[in-house]
Structure formats: structure tokens, C-alpha cells
Amino acid sequence: MANIKEVAKLAGVSVSTVSRVFNQQSYVKAETRARILEAIEETGYVPNRAAREMVAKHATTVGIVMPETFNNFQRQIFSIVARQLEEHSYHTGFYYASTEAEEEMKCLNRIKADRLDGIIILHELTQPGFNEYLSTRNIPTVLATFSGQSWDAPAIHISEEEAAAVAVRHLINKGHRKIAAIAGRQFSFSSRRLAGYGNALALANIALDERSIVHASTYSMRSGYEAARRLSEQSDSFTAVFAITDELAIGAIRYFQDRGLRIPEDLSVVGFDDIELASFVSPRLTTIAQPIEEMGNLAVELLHSMITDKETSSGDILLPFTLIERESTAQLR
Amino acid sequence: MANIKEVAKLAGVSVSTVSRVFNQQSYVKAETRARILEAIEETGYVPNRAAREMVAKHATTVGIVMPETFNNFQRQIFSIVARQLEEHSYHTGFYYASTEAEEEMKCLNRIKADRLDGIIILHELTQPGFNEYLSTRNIPTVLATFSGQSWDAPAIHISEEEAAAVAVRHLINKGHRKIAAIAGRQFSFSSRRLAGYGNALALANIALDERSIVHASTYSMRSGYEAARRLSEQSDSFTAVFAITDELAIGAIRYFQDRGLRIPEDLSVVGFDDIELASFVSPRLTTIAQPIEEMGNLAVELLHSMITDKETSSGDILLPFTLIERESTAQLR
DNA sequence: AGGTGATATGAAAACGTTCCCAGATATGTG
DNA sequence: CACATATCTGGGAACGTTTTCATATCACCT
């Protein structure tokens, strides 16, 4: 593996000059540059990243923190973020952190060692140590998700609570009053969306029945199926279901269909996220769409300006959402 | 940001000794070690990765190369690989490479600079430069995908051709003879699966009709929908469809359903991959299941042994697949 | 007392860059 | 022609580790 010294020797110049052609500022005679370029070509030289990072005292890498198994929404935002990062020529480090406290701290430790330029967090972290560390070290951070705990970093997201309320209100407007909910574990966006559900019900003077709420353990379709089963066991009087995630909704619909119910004739279902799949299942899913492309772009744009301008930004950035009415909800007969 | 010198000073020892407690071989008096540990705790010291990598002459990072927008199958294998990598305490670098030649070479350039320990490739690369570079530099590489071009690296995959033939034979056994195909762009696994389709037809003495083959531009459901539309326009005599990907199949089913066809009564559809979704759409999708968990685990296991044992491995590793019969295919009436 | 091996520590080189400083050569200006 | 300024190049320190080598102390045995 060629290093800068060999290139310099081959081109008959000093390492300083070779370095100069790589970093372009300052003067290099055209003829010399040509000779060096040739030597680079010949040796296949590529600067050693570690050495560069050491003198620069920082990596040109931003880390993406994601959950253990990410859902379709997170997959999409990940793709967008990764592409944008590449656009700005950052390296992309992948950090997987499950929702277990211990795992989260292990993830943090890896981050510590890496001297990252910045971090984009795509799911809620529960350990306060994360924010504490990142903010004392002044590591630019952006959350492209709901910020559960208090962060010193900006969080880009929609108003989960309002959006959920809009979804539930949609059901109420269709005449439903017995509306069940499939939530996730009791924190993060799950609890915010559930709160929105409660608010919408309260506003319509509908009493909240604990038995018509069920908590799924993950956000997979399988969990949605399972959750729908539990819901059916503990209550049978609902005419509509609000699922806090499209995957959960799709899994639930599958269960209800298996039980012979017709959607939306016998039961209306709303989801949340508008993943690609939502418009391909039957019935097509009525759901809340997040401006995912914008969220991803904004996240790296913001992070990039934090890194380059050294200005610390914070606070929530709320983006608009829309209810997309498709085929899984109908007027109560 | 504390460095090793500060820790050494605080503990009243030399940097060598501090380094020793981090890398554990050789002797350090228990008392000294305790003092150093305390100093580490107090300063919050974490070794600088770049510096470490420089002296080690390699990173503790393996890169994952993925397509621009990855589908559900790739997402799943990515999750598995990332988790396993973490298990072996490698860092995970994410490298996105679209199928454009230029993009691919840009991706390769980033890889060159990073002195990766190893690389796991999750989709087919078309540029021979990739293999050439990796093999001359002796960078351990594993493909967890079909190896389109000839690689010096081992490729872990199923026999795409046979699997496709099994899927098509399943349709033939159900009495179908007019079987259309929805393929992708004409290379990589898409072409292998299409070849399997052709073989199965030939074996059953069914003439291959060019008009009953359509090529989707991506592997998304949207593309599947689009492809089904084009298929319907250029041919209307088929009673079954083989889609080379579950997403394509699901998109296609959506199109046919929109046109009032009942699946599987009016039309049978087989997919390929068995993504989670396959068992949640209606009708549930008949498809080919790849041993995804095993593929992911094997990939990092193999890579790890290549990295540590320095033994270069190569050749194809074929894993078994299974046809999962669900509800989207039926006997031709 | 002297030797031997195990235990414990420090000094300093090396890894591959970047960048500051100094010096050399060319180009212009009065 | 002298001097200032612009252009060009090299030397060497610095970045934060690991690792080799050398040396010091200790415990134990003859």
C-alpha cells in the first residue's frame, strides 16, 4: 500500500508538495503537479484516512444511530440520510442501539472512540448519558425523530400528538365512537401518539376505556397481528382501530380478516407513517404521512451547518403532516 | 478531550503503562492498574481510534456495501449482518453504491481510503474494478448475494436459477401453461431467476413467449404495479405470473386486483424472497424463502475467519431454499 | 552472596498525514 | 539595478497511539 512518501520519491519532490496537490490550497507549479498526479496514478495512492483524521483531530464521518431492527419508515429515512451524507462527502458510520439501556451505553462507547464529526439519531434513546456526553463534548447532533427526553440537540419531527388526534378525529367524523388503539411500548412516539388518541376522544366526549388499548412489543406486522388478537380477547365492542404504526395496522388488519371481518365494512383501521406498502395492501391503508424526504434532507442540512459553522442549534423543528384517506376507513353504518 | 498523556500524568505513570492496561498483555502491578483506572474514569478517557488505527495499520471496521435504496430482503440481511459485526466488535461502515458505474467507482474510492478490515457486499456490483482492487490489496471480502461477475471472494447465496425453476414448476404443476414473468434489469440475480423461469418452461415443453416477459426498472412495489400494467398491455393470455421479487409480486397483485381480477382464482402469482410482508398481504404470497438469518451469520463468520486467520477463501457457498406455498397460487380451473 | 527468572516500568521510535516556517526562485515596479 | 512581491518547494514538528527495547526491582534458590 503506497504512502505519500513513496509518491513523493517517485515524483522527485517532498511530501509537503504531494500533500499540497491533495489539499489544493497554495501554489504548485503546473508541471510539478502533473508529475505528482502521474506518480499518484502509478502507485494507486490514496491518502490514509486514519493519519488524516489524526492531524485534523476529527473524522469526516457522521454516525447514524438506529434501532436494532428498523421498520420501513426508518429504512426510508435512513436511505435518504445516507445519500445526503454522501452528497456532502461524509463517511457514514452505522451504530445500532437497541432499546436496552446496556446496549445503548455500549453504542455510546463506540461513538466516543470514533471522534465523529456529527451524529444523526433516528430513534428515541432513553439513556440521558447520551445527550449529556454529546453536549459536553460539543458533538453536533440532530434527531430525526421525536425527542423523548430533553436534548440539547434539535429534533426534526411532526407533532405526533396532533397527528394522532387528526387520525382519530377522522374516525370520529365517520361516526365511530368505539375506537380501540394499538400502541407500542410506553415511551417515545408511541406514548405521544397514544396521548393524541386520548385527546381526540376526550374532545368528543368519549370515555376512554382501558380495555380497548393494547401495547405491542415491537413495531412489526407480527406484533400487530398479535396485538389485534389480544385486543379482540379483552374487548369486542369497537368499530374502529387506531394503530400507531402502519406495520402494526397491517398486521392487525391481517388478523381481523382472518377472523372473517371485512375492512372497512365491519371495522375501520387507520395507520401512521405512510410507508410505501400502505398504498399496496388491500384495502389500501388510511394513514398519516410524514414528510420523510424533507425530514431526511433537513437533518443532514442542519447537521452540516452545525459542523461547519460551529453554531449550536437546538429546539424542536415541527414539520407538517397530512392525513391520507384511502380505503381502510369507512362511515359507520 | 483527554488523551493518554494526561491520563498518564494524572496517574503518575508513563504512557506505556496506561497503554498496557488498555491492551492487557504483559505485567502491570495491581495497585498501579487501579490508579490508572481511576484516572481514566476521572478524565473520561477513550482511546483515539484514528491513532490506534494508524499504528495498527488497519481499521477495526468492516464496510457494508448496499444499493441506493434497498428492499426488505436487503434490509433484513443488513440488520443481521450489522448485529453480528457488533458481536465481533467491528465498527460498521456503510457504503451506498447505486448501480451506476460512476457511483460505484466513487464508492470504491471511499473504501480505498478507509483501510477497512473487510467488506461485505449485499448486492451485485457491475464494475470489475471492485474485485480487482479488493483482491490485489488482499482485503477480505464476502458477498452475501449472487456473484454476477467472477470474484475472488466467496459468495453466499442460494441457487437462484433452481429456485426460480422450482417456483415456476409449482405453477406448472397447478396446471398453468401460460405463465408470465416480471423480471428486473437484465443482469444480476434478476437474469438468473429469469433463466430459471426459462428452464422450467423448456422442461415442460412450453414455448417461451417474449411478450409475456416484462422488465421492471427497480424492485419496488410501485415498479411491480407499473410492470403488471405493461404486461397486461402486451399480452392478456397468461393465467399465472412469476415475479422475481416479493415487492414486485405485491405491486403486481395490487394492479391486477385493481383491474378486478381475483387472486388466485383468476390469476396465480408467485414471488421470491419471503419478506415479512409476504405472509401479511392478502392473499398471502406463495414465494421462495431464502435462509436469510443463516446467510447473514455465515457471511460475518466467514469474513471474521478470513480476517483473523488470513486464509483467503473463495468460491460459491450454496444454501438451501424452500418454496412456501400460501394463498396466491391455485389450481388452474 | 550471587545468580536467575519473573514482574514491573519508562524512553523512544514508528505509523502517515498536515501545516507552519523558512528559504529559493521568478516576476514585476520604480 | 535594487527592491518588493508573488510563486514555488522542502524541512520538520505535531497529532495520539502501540510496541520494542532496555532497565529496575523483587522473590526465590543454591
mmCIF file of all heavy atoms in Angstrom, chain C residues 13-24:
data_model
loop_
_atom_site.group_PDB
_atom_site.id
_atom_site.type_symbol
_atom_site.label_atom_id
_atom_site.label_comp_id
_atom_site.label_asym_id
_atom_site.label_seq_id
_atom_site.Cartn_x
_atom_site.Cartn_y
_atom_site.Cartn_z
ATOM 1 P P DA C 13 14.072 8.018 19.308
ATOM 2 O OP1 DA C 13 15.510 8.267 19.283
ATOM 3 O OP2 DA C 13 13.105 9.138 19.294
ATOM 4 O "O5'" DA C 13 13.703 7.025 18.113
ATOM 5 C "C5'" DA C 13 14.048 5.647 18.210
ATOM 6 C "C4'" DA C 13 12.992 4.795 17.530
ATOM 7 O "O4'" DA C 13 11.811 4.727 18.368
ATOM 8 C "C3'" DA C 13 12.527 5.342 16.181
ATOM 9 O "O3'" DA C 13 12.395 4.257 15.283
ATOM 10 C "C2'" DA C 13 11.177 5.987 16.494
ATOM 11 C "C1'" DA C 13 10.671 5.078 17.596
ATOM 12 N N9 DA C 13 9.706 5.689 18.511
ATOM 13 C C8 DA C 13 9.786 6.916 19.123
ATOM 14 N N7 DA C 13 8.767 7.183 19.921
ATOM 15 C C5 DA C 13 7.975 6.048 19.826
ATOM 16 C C6 DA C 13 6.750 5.694 20.429
ATOM 17 N N6 DA C 13 6.095 6.476 21.291
ATOM 18 N N1 DA C 13 6.230 4.492 20.116
ATOM 19 C C2 DA C 13 6.895 3.706 19.266
ATOM 20 N N3 DA C 13 8.058 3.919 18.639
ATOM 21 C C4 DA C 13 8.540 5.122 18.964
ATOM 22 P P DA C 14 12.396 4.527 13.688
ATOM 23 O OP1 DA C 14 13.322 3.527 13.111
ATOM 24 O OP2 DA C 14 12.586 5.969 13.439
ATOM 25 O "O5'" DA C 14 10.917 4.151 13.260
ATOM 26 C "C5'" DA C 14 10.347 2.923 13.690
ATOM 27 C "C4'" DA C 14 8.849 3.035 13.614
ATOM 28 O "O4'" DA C 14 8.377 3.769 14.759
ATOM 29 C "C3'" DA C 14 8.339 3.815 12.392
ATOM 30 O "O3'" DA C 14 7.669 2.917 11.524
ATOM 31 C "C2'" DA C 14 7.387 4.872 12.961
ATOM 32 C "C1'" DA C 14 7.183 4.424 14.394
ATOM 33 N N9 DA C 14 6.977 5.519 15.332
ATOM 34 C C8 DA C 14 7.737 6.648 15.490
ATOM 35 N N7 DA C 14 7.298 7.459 16.428
ATOM 36 C C5 DA C 14 6.170 6.817 16.910
ATOM 37 C C6 DA C 14 5.239 7.154 17.913
ATOM 38 N N6 DA C 14 5.304 8.268 18.631
ATOM 39 N N1 DA C 14 4.225 6.285 18.143
ATOM 40 C C2 DA C 14 4.166 5.166 17.405
ATOM 41 N N3 DA C 14 4.971 4.731 16.451
ATOM 42 C C4 DA C 14 5.959 5.615 16.247
ATOM 43 P P DC C 15 7.421 3.357 9.981
ATOM 44 O OP1 DC C 15 7.925 2.275 9.131
ATOM 45 O OP2 DC C 15 7.883 4.751 9.797
ATOM 46 O "O5'" DC C 15 5.837 3.413 9.870
ATOM 47 C "C5'" DC C 15 5.005 2.482 10.519
ATOM 48 C "C4'" DC C 15 3.661 3.126 10.728
ATOM 49 O "O4'" DC C 15 3.692 3.862 11.971
ATOM 50 C "C3'" DC C 15 3.317 4.188 9.682
ATOM 51 O "O3'" DC C 15 2.583 3.556 8.634
ATOM 52 C "C2'" DC C 15 2.458 5.196 10.443
ATOM 53 C "C1'" DC C 15 2.698 4.865 11.906
ATOM 54 N N1 DC C 15 3.193 6.007 12.749
ATOM 55 C C2 DC C 15 2.554 6.273 13.957
ATOM 56 O O2 DC C 15 1.590 5.568 14.294
ATOM 57 N N3 DC C 15 2.999 7.306 14.731
ATOM 58 C C4 DC C 15 4.030 8.040 14.316
ATOM 59 N N4 DC C 15 4.421 9.041 15.115
ATOM 60 C C5 DC C 15 4.696 7.773 13.097
ATOM 61 C C6 DC C 15 4.244 6.763 12.344
ATOM 62 P P DG C 16 2.941 3.921 7.103
ATOM 63 O OP1 DG C 16 2.353 2.886 6.244
ATOM 64 O OP2 DG C 16 4.367 4.245 7.013
ATOM 65 O "O5'" DG C 16 2.133 5.274 6.860
ATOM 66 C "C5'" DG C 16 0.726 5.249 6.975
ATOM 67 C "C4'" DG C 16 0.206 6.656 6.849
ATOM 68 O "O4'" DG C 16 0.631 7.422 7.990
ATOM 69 C "C3'" DG C 16 0.706 7.402 5.615
ATOM 70 O "O3'" DG C 16 -0.397 8.058 5.032
ATOM 71 C "C2'" DG C 16 1.725 8.384 6.177
ATOM 72 C "C1'" DG C 16 1.160 8.658 7.557
ATOM 73 N N9 DG C 16 2.137 9.064 8.553
ATOM 74 C C8 DG C 16 3.452 8.674 8.659
ATOM 75 N N7 DG C 16 4.074 9.199 9.677
ATOM 76 C C5 DG C 16 3.107 9.996 10.290
ATOM 77 C C6 DG C 16 3.192 10.810 11.453
ATOM 78 O O6 DG C 16 4.171 10.993 12.187
ATOM 79 N N1 DG C 16 1.986 11.428 11.729
ATOM 80 C C2 DG C 16 0.839 11.282 10.983
ATOM 81 N N2 DG C 16 -0.223 11.952 11.406
ATOM 82 N N3 DG C 16 0.752 10.530 9.901
ATOM 83 C C4 DG C 16 1.910 9.918 9.613
ATOM 84 P P DT C 17 -0.333 8.719 3.636
ATOM 85 O OP1 DT C 17 -1.020 7.861 2.689
ATOM 86 O OP2 DT C 17 1.053 9.155 3.366
ATOM 87 O "O5'" DT C 17 -1.281 9.970 3.882
ATOM 88 C "C5'" DT C 17 -0.724 11.243 4.053
ATOM 89 C "C4'" DT C 17 -1.377 11.894 5.232
ATOM 90 O "O4'" DT C 17 -0.600 11.566 6.393
ATOM 91 C "C3'" DT C 17 -1.388 13.396 5.140
ATOM 92 O "O3'" DT C 17 -2.664 13.785 4.666
ATOM 93 C "C2'" DT C 17 -1.129 13.871 6.537
ATOM 94 C "C1'" DT C 17 -0.523 12.673 7.255
ATOM 95 N N1 DT C 17 0.910 12.839 7.635
ATOM 96 C C2 DT C 17 1.213 13.624 8.716
ATOM 97 O O2 DT C 17 0.386 14.225 9.367
ATOM 98 N N3 DT C 17 2.545 13.684 9.024
ATOM 99 C C4 DT C 17 3.574 13.054 8.360
ATOM 100 O O4 DT C 17 4.738 13.176 8.740
ATOM 101 C C5 DT C 17 3.187 12.259 7.230
ATOM 102 C C7 DT C 17 4.234 11.529 6.449
ATOM 103 C C6 DT C 17 1.894 12.183 6.921
ATOM 104 P P DT C 18 -2.807 15.166 3.887
ATOM 105 O OP1 DT C 18 -4.194 15.251 3.414
ATOM 106 O OP2 DT C 18 -1.682 15.294 2.967
ATOM 107 O "O5'" DT C 18 -2.591 16.234 5.056
ATOM 108 C "C5'" DT C 18 -3.549 16.320 6.095
ATOM 109 C "C4'" DT C 18 -3.117 17.392 7.077
ATOM 110 O "O4'" DT C 18 -1.814 17.064 7.619
ATOM 111 C "C3'" DT C 18 -3.000 18.779 6.472
ATOM 112 O "O3'" DT C 18 -3.588 19.678 7.410
ATOM 113 C "C2'" DT C 18 -1.504 18.983 6.334
ATOM 114 C "C1'" DT C 18 -0.962 18.185 7.506
ATOM 115 N N1 DT C 18 0.420 17.639 7.356
ATOM 116 C C2 DT C 18 1.321 17.851 8.364
ATOM 117 O O2 DT C 18 1.058 18.496 9.372
ATOM 118 N N3 DT C 18 2.555 17.296 8.166
ATOM 119 C C4 DT C 18 2.968 16.547 7.081
ATOM 120 O O4 DT C 18 4.101 16.082 7.023
ATOM 121 C C5 DT C 18 1.969 16.364 6.050
ATOM 122 C C7 DT C 18 2.316 15.574 4.827
ATOM 123 C C6 DT C 18 0.758 16.907 6.234
ATOM 124 P P DC C 19 -4.019 21.148 6.947
ATOM 125 O OP1 DC C 19 -5.274 21.482 7.651
ATOM 126 O OP2 DC C 19 -3.905 21.253 5.487
ATOM 127 O "O5'" DC C 19 -2.844 22.022 7.592
ATOM 128 C "C5'" DC C 19 -2.526 21.835 8.967
ATOM 129 C "C4'" DC C 19 -1.260 22.602 9.276
ATOM 130 O "O4'" DC C 19 -0.112 21.803 8.919
ATOM 131 C "C3'" DC C 19 -1.135 23.914 8.489
ATOM 132 O "O3'" DC C 19 -0.569 24.870 9.357
ATOM 133 C "C2'" DC C 19 -0.161 23.551 7.368
ATOM 134 C "C1'" DC C 19 0.754 22.590 8.123
ATOM 135 N N1 DC C 19 1.535 21.662 7.255
ATOM 136 C C2 DC C 19 2.775 21.203 7.704
ATOM 137 O O2 DC C 19 3.194 21.597 8.808
ATOM 138 N N3 DC C 19 3.490 20.372 6.911
ATOM 139 C C4 DC C 19 3.012 19.979 5.741
ATOM 140 N N4 DC C 19 3.752 19.148 5.013
ATOM 141 C C5 DC C 19 1.748 20.427 5.268
ATOM 142 C C6 DC C 19 1.039 21.264 6.055
ATOM 143 P P DC C 20 -1.052 26.372 9.269
ATOM 144 O OP1 DC C 20 -2.294 26.468 10.053
ATOM 145 O OP2 DC C 20 -0.999 26.817 7.860
ATOM 146 O "O5'" DC C 20 0.111 27.129 10.070
ATOM 147 C "C5'" DC C 20 0.612 26.539 11.278
ATOM 148 C "C4'" DC C 20 2.125 26.619 11.301
ATOM 149 O "O4'" DC C 20 2.689 25.631 10.408
ATOM 150 C "C3'" DC C 20 2.677 27.977 10.854
ATOM 151 O "O3'" DC C 20 3.594 28.427 11.831
ATOM 152 C "C2'" DC C 20 3.363 27.685 9.522
ATOM 153 C "C1'" DC C 20 3.763 26.222 9.693
ATOM 154 N N1 DC C 20 3.915 25.459 8.431
ATOM 155 C C2 DC C 20 5.089 24.721 8.199
ATOM 156 O O2 DC C 20 5.985 24.732 9.049
ATOM 157 N N3 DC C 20 5.211 24.025 7.043
ATOM 158 C C4 DC C 20 4.226 24.038 6.150
ATOM 159 N N4 DC C 20 4.386 23.331 5.042
ATOM 160 C C5 DC C 20 3.023 24.777 6.358
ATOM 161 C C6 DC C 20 2.902 25.475 7.500
ATOM 162 P P DC C 21 4.069 29.947 11.810
ATOM 163 O OP1 DC C 21 4.132 30.395 13.205
ATOM 164 O OP2 DC C 21 3.285 30.686 10.798
ATOM 165 O "O5'" DC C 21 5.558 29.780 11.269
ATOM 166 C "C5'" DC C 21 6.422 28.823 11.904
ATOM 167 C "C4'" DC C 21 7.646 28.622 11.043
ATOM 168 O "O4'" DC C 21 7.311 27.791 9.909
ATOM 169 C "C3'" DC C 21 8.234 29.922 10.482
ATOM 170 O "O3'" DC C 21 9.587 30.000 10.864
ATOM 171 C "C2'" DC C 21 8.071 29.792 8.967
ATOM 172 C "C1'" DC C 21 8.013 28.275 8.777
ATOM 173 N N1 DC C 21 7.261 27.820 7.575
ATOM 174 C C2 DC C 21 7.840 26.888 6.709
ATOM 175 O O2 DC C 21 8.979 26.461 6.972
ATOM 176 N N3 DC C 21 7.150 26.473 5.613
ATOM 177 C C4 DC C 21 5.918 26.958 5.385
ATOM 178 N N4 DC C 21 5.275 26.521 4.305
ATOM 179 C C5 DC C 21 5.306 27.901 6.256
ATOM 180 C C6 DC C 21 6.008 28.314 7.328
ATOM 181 P P DA C 22 10.366 31.340 10.635
ATOM 182 O OP1 DA C 22 11.133 31.600 11.880
ATOM 183 O OP2 DA C 22 9.456 32.354 10.067
ATOM 184 O "O5'" DA C 22 11.386 30.876 9.521
ATOM 185 C "C5'" DA C 22 12.025 29.597 9.666
ATOM 186 C "C4'" DA C 22 12.618 29.211 8.343
ATOM 187 O "O4'" DA C 22 11.566 28.778 7.451
ATOM 188 C "C3'" DA C 22 13.351 30.351 7.622
ATOM 189 O "O3'" DA C 22 14.625 29.874 7.235
ATOM 190 C "C2'" DA C 22 12.468 30.671 6.432
ATOM 191 C "C1'" DA C 22 11.814 29.320 6.166
ATOM 192 N N9 DA C 22 10.527 29.390 5.467
ATOM 193 C C8 DA C 22 9.459 30.197 5.759
ATOM 194 N N7 DA C 22 8.429 30.026 4.944
ATOM 195 C C5 DA C 22 8.868 29.043 4.066
ATOM 196 C C6 DA C 22 8.251 28.412 2.965
ATOM 197 N N6 DA C 22 7.017 28.700 2.558
ATOM 198 N N1 DA C 22 8.965 27.479 2.311
ATOM 199 C C2 DA C 22 10.204 27.188 2.730
ATOM 200 N N3 DA C 22 10.886 27.708 3.753
ATOM 201 C C4 DA C 22 10.154 28.644 4.377
ATOM 202 P P DG C 23 15.785 30.871 6.831
ATOM 203 O OP1 DG C 23 16.987 30.421 7.555
ATOM 204 O OP2 DG C 23 15.283 32.267 6.929
ATOM 205 O "O5'" DG C 23 15.989 30.531 5.291
ATOM 206 C "C5'" DG C 23 16.215 29.183 4.891
ATOM 207 C "C4'" DG C 23 15.751 29.009 3.478
ATOM 208 O "O4'" DG C 23 14.340 29.235 3.398
ATOM 209 C "C3'" DG C 23 16.380 29.986 2.471
ATOM 210 O "O3'" DG C 23 17.075 29.235 1.500
ATOM 211 C "C2'" DG C 23 15.208 30.732 1.878
ATOM 212 C "C1'" DG C 23 14.066 29.753 2.122
ATOM 213 N N9 DG C 23 12.743 30.343 2.116
ATOM 214 C C8 DG C 23 12.239 31.316 2.951
ATOM 215 N N7 DG C 23 10.996 31.637 2.683
ATOM 216 C C5 DG C 23 10.663 30.814 1.598
ATOM 217 C C6 DG C 23 9.446 30.711 0.869
ATOM 218 O O6 DG C 23 8.401 31.327 1.029
ATOM 219 N N1 DG C 23 9.542 29.757 -0.152
ATOM 220 C C2 DG C 23 10.672 29.015 -0.410
ATOM 221 N N2 DG C 23 10.588 28.151 -1.414
ATOM 222 N N3 DG C 23 11.811 29.098 0.265
ATOM 223 C C4 DG C 23 11.737 30.017 1.250
ATOM 224 P P DA C 24 18.107 29.919 0.537
ATOM 225 O OP1 DA C 24 19.357 29.143 0.635
ATOM 226 O OP2 DA C 24 18.100 31.387 0.752
ATOM 227 O "O5'" DA C 24 17.452 29.617 -0.881
ATOM 228 C "C5'" DA C 24 17.010 28.295 -1.180
ATOM 229 C "C4'" DA C 24 16.170 28.353 -2.435
ATOM 230 O "O4'" DA C 24 14.865 28.893 -2.096
ATOM 231 C "C3'" DA C 24 16.745 29.264 -3.523
ATOM 232 O "O3'" DA C 24 16.688 28.581 -4.756
ATOM 233 C "C2'" DA C 24 15.843 30.493 -3.513
ATOM 234 C "C1'" DA C 24 14.517 29.885 -3.043
ATOM 235 N N9 DA C 24 13.627 30.826 -2.370
ATOM 236 C C8 DA C 24 13.916 31.639 -1.304
ATOM 237 N N7 DA C 24 12.904 32.376 -0.907
ATOM 238 C C5 DA C 24 11.869 32.005 -1.763
ATOM 239 C C6 DA C 24 10.526 32.414 -1.865
ATOM 240 N N6 DA C 24 9.974 33.316 -1.055
ATOM 241 N N1 DA C 24 9.784 31.851 -2.842
ATOM 242 C C2 DA C 24 10.345 30.940 -3.641
ATOM 243 N N3 DA C 24 11.599 30.480 -3.642
ATOM 244 C C4 DA C 24 12.311 31.054 -2.663
#
